[in-house]
């Protein structure tokens, strides 16, 4: 039986993970759950999955959780704070850690997970975007398995040759990675009207149920830009060997093109439980509660190139990957500030890319040599992006 720690348990990835885990009590036991401040949701998860440890973002939320679980049988040890999240990972028995905390806040716990030699189910894309080379080197030192949970990267992982390692593309006959994207809710909307987009419209994804921040990233295609960076790093591919392809049905989750002319694809209904189940059970396949794909009902599959004018965030991310060093960290930090500004009503949807571009122009990229340097770059980018927000860029 494998011990599972879920970082970000009350989010969409966390809940999907626990749904799959709950279907296989003979294989998995929950060791720890962490959450932000959703006390009621965390209390429900603790009652159902009985973790040994539960961590909340602050002491107020932790106190609320303790009160709700007082007198319960097998109540967990309830801790609080960012350091407690990292400690929960560091103290966990070697097993599975699901890294699903949204944003750069998930970086340190994810680093602790790879350092501890766990199987790390990576759903926090910012960890790779901000500190990819450092994270991958730490995973190598710690003997960790790093398995992607994003549906696209998990699909690529499934389509690559068995035992593939980063940097083996040429030797293993891998030509290209084709990274699919839904195009989000505004794929066909008149670009001249995008300045009127509301947060509610941006968060109404046509295929996936996601949190608000990642939904906005999908609408701008920054989400795909971050995934572009991830794919290059995870699989050791040059940026020119990774193409983003819009596929509105979200059924083909990604493809790998080979030297012999073959193109392998992974298909399935758009449900995050499929890649989560694959990563939890690999090399075994686990029941995930997902309906099989009905090709007859689907009838057709469409593919198109993304429009750079409609999705400038995608081009900014691709350029940051090519520049390297601290550029991806600066990009990610500026995007988080800009998206927060859009969601709170202080920034127009079409100005998200402008804030990111202006921030990158003020902060030239440097070689990334340490986690501390990257965190300083992250903090500086947030300061500059916030200044641009105040100035109404």
């Amino acid at each position: 039986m494998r011990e599972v720690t879920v970082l970000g348990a009350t989010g969409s990835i966390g809940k999907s993970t626990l749904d799959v885990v709950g279907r296989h009590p003979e294989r998995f036991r929950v060791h720890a759950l962490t959450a932000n401040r959703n006390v009621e949701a965390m209390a429900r998860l603790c009652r159902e999955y009985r973790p040994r440890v539960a961590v909340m973002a602050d002491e107020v939320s932790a106190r609320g959780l303790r009160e709700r679980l007082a007198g319960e049988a097998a109540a967990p040890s309830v801790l609080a704070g960012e350091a407690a999240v990292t400690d929960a990972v560091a103290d966990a028995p070697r097993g599975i850690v699901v890294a699903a905390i949204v944003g750069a806040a998930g970086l340190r716990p994810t680093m602790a997970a790879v350092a501890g030699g766990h199987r790390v189910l990576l759903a926090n894309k910012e960890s790779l975007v901000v500190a990819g080379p450092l994270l991958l080197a730490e995973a190598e030192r710690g003997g960790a398995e790093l398995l992607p949970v994003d549906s696209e990267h998990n699909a690529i992982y499934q389509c690559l040759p068995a035992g593939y390692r980063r940097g083996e593309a040429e030797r293993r006959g891998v030509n290209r990675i084709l990274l699919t994207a839904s195009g989000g809710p505004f794929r066909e909307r008149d670009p001249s009207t995008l300045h009127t987009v509301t947060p509610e419209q941006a968060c109404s994804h046509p295929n996936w149920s996601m949190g608000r921040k990642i939904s906005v990233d999908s609408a701008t295609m920054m989400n795909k830009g971050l995934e572009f960076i991830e794919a290059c790093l995870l699989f050791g591919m040059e940026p020119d060997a990774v193409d983003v392809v819009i596929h509105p049905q979200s059924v083909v989750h990604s493809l790998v093109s080979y030297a012999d002319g073959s193109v392998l694809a992974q298909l399935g209904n758009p449900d995050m439980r499929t890649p989560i189940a694959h990563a939890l059970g690999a090399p075994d396949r686990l029941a995930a509660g997902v309906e099989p794909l009905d090709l007859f009902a689907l009838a057709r599959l469409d593919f198109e190139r993304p429009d750079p004018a409609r999705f400038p965030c995608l081009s900014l991310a691709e350029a940051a990957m090519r520049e390297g060093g601290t550029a991806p960290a600066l990009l990610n930090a500026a995007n988080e500030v800009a998206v927060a500004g859009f969601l709170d009503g202080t920034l127009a949807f079409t100005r998200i890319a402008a804030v990111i571009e202006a921030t990158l122009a003020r902060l030239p990229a440097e070689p990334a040599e340490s986690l501390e340097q990257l965190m300083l770059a992250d903090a500086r980018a947030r300061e500059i992006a916030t200044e641009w927000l105040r100035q109404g860029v």
Side-chain angles (χ1 to χ4, degrees):
M1 180 169 295
R2 304 197 73 172
E3 300 269 351
V4 179
T5 294
V6 183
L7 308 178
T10 59
S12 60
I13 297 294
K15 288 187 287 189
S16 292
T17 298
L18 291 169
D19 180 86
V20 176
V21 165
R23 295 170 187 273
H24 300 279
E26 76 289 354
R27 296 185 65 127
F28 306 112
R29 189 198 185 287
V30 176
H31 170 73
L33 301 177
T34 81
N36 193 13
R37 295 177 176 86
N38 192 334
V39 174
E40 293 296 339
M42 187 63 147
R44 288 193 296 271
L45 294 178
C46 288
R47 291 186 186 106
E48 184 172 359
Y49 297 101
R50 297 180 177 273
R52 295 187 180 94
V53 179
V55 186
M56 302 300 292
D58 55 43
E59 186 54 44
V60 173
S61 302
R63 190 181 310 118
L65 182 61
R66 291 187 197 105
E67 291 171 356
R68 282 161 179 78
L69 297 177
E72 300 260 352
S77 172
V78 180
L79 308 174
E82 182 179 344
V85 175
T86 301
D87 289 345
V89 173
D91 295 341
R94 191 162 181 163
I96 296 173
V97 176
V98 182
I101 296 175
V102 175
L107 176 56
R108 290 190 186 279
T110 304
M111 291 291 284
V114 298
H118 297 277
R119 171 177 285 192
V120 181
L121 275 57
L122 191 63
N124 171 267
K125 59 175 53 65
E126 290 82 3
S127 295
L128 266 178
V129 171
V130 172
L134 298 179
L135 182 74
L136 294 168
E138 189 64 45
E140 190 77 23
R141 282 192 295 271
E145 283 185 279
L146 201 57
L147 300 185
V149 168
D150 272 342
S151 60
E152 295 82 0
H153 300 94
N154 184 266
I156 294 163
Y157 181 85
Q158 294 188 51
C159 292
L160 285 169
Y164 178 89
R165 296 175 63 85
R166 285 188 306 117
E168 291 186 340
E170 184 175 359
R171 185 176 71 81
R172 304 296 298 273
V174 176
N175 271 355
R176 308 191 69 74
I177 283 175
L178 305 173
L179 189 66
T180 58
S182 69
F186 308 132
R187 181 177 62 88
E188 296 182 323
R189 180 162 167 163
D190 182 351
S192 68
T193 70
L194 290 177
H195 66 284
T196 66
V197 163
T198 67
E200 290 67 30
Q201 291 171 328
C203 292
S204 298
H205 195 281
N207 300 332
W208 297 96
S209 174
M210 304 180 292
R212 286 168 67 79
K213 192 268 181 183
I214 193 172
S215 294
V216 175
D217 282 349
S218 180
T220 64
M221 280 194 74
M222 177 57 86
N223 189 49
K224 203 55 51 178
L226 299 178
E227 290 179 3
F228 174 90
I229 296 171
E230 277 189 282
C232 293
L233 293 168
L234 268 176
F235 305 115
M237 302 294 290
E238 292 297 322
D240 289 342
V242 180
D243 291 328
V244 174
V245 180
I246 290 181
H247 168 53
Q249 290 91 354
S250 295
V251 166
V252 177
H253 297 300
S254 276
L255 312 92
V256 175
S257 175
Y258 285 86
D260 63 2
S262 300
V263 178
L264 302 187
Q266 188 266 334
L267 286 74
N269 282 316
D271 189 316
M272 286 304 300
R273 291 177 297 175
T274 294
I276 289 167
H278 174 266
L280 281 170
D284 298 335
R285 297 279 179 167
L286 305 180
V290 180
E291 288 295 318
L293 184 64
D294 185 344
L295 291 175
F296 298 104
L298 182 64
R300 59 180 287 173
L301 301 172
D302 297 302
F303 303 92
E304 60 191 65
R305 296 184 186 277
D307 177 6
R310 184 187 295 272
F311 301 115
C313 285
L314 177 59
S315 299
L316 290 172
E318 291 173 345
M321 178 61 214
R322 288 181 169 86
E323 191 165 4
T326 59
L330 298 171
L331 170 98
N332 178 72
N335 178 65
E336 288 192 12
V337 171
V339 170
F342 167 67
L343 286 171
D344 70 19
T346 60
L347 185 70
F349 179 79
T350 49
R351 305 308 295 166
I352 293 174
V355 168
I356 299 167
E357 187 170 17
T359 301
L360 294 175
R362 282 272 299 275
L363 295 171
E366 300 175 350
E369 297 173 348
S370 70
L371 183 57
E372 289 70 26
Q373 178 199 17
L374 288 164
M375 297 312 291
L376 286 173
D378 175 277
R380 184 60 178 146
R382 291 173 193 278
E383 291 174 9
I384 298 299
T386 301
E387 286 179 23
W388 287 123
L389 276 180
R390 293 196 189 109
Q391 295 173 22
V393 166

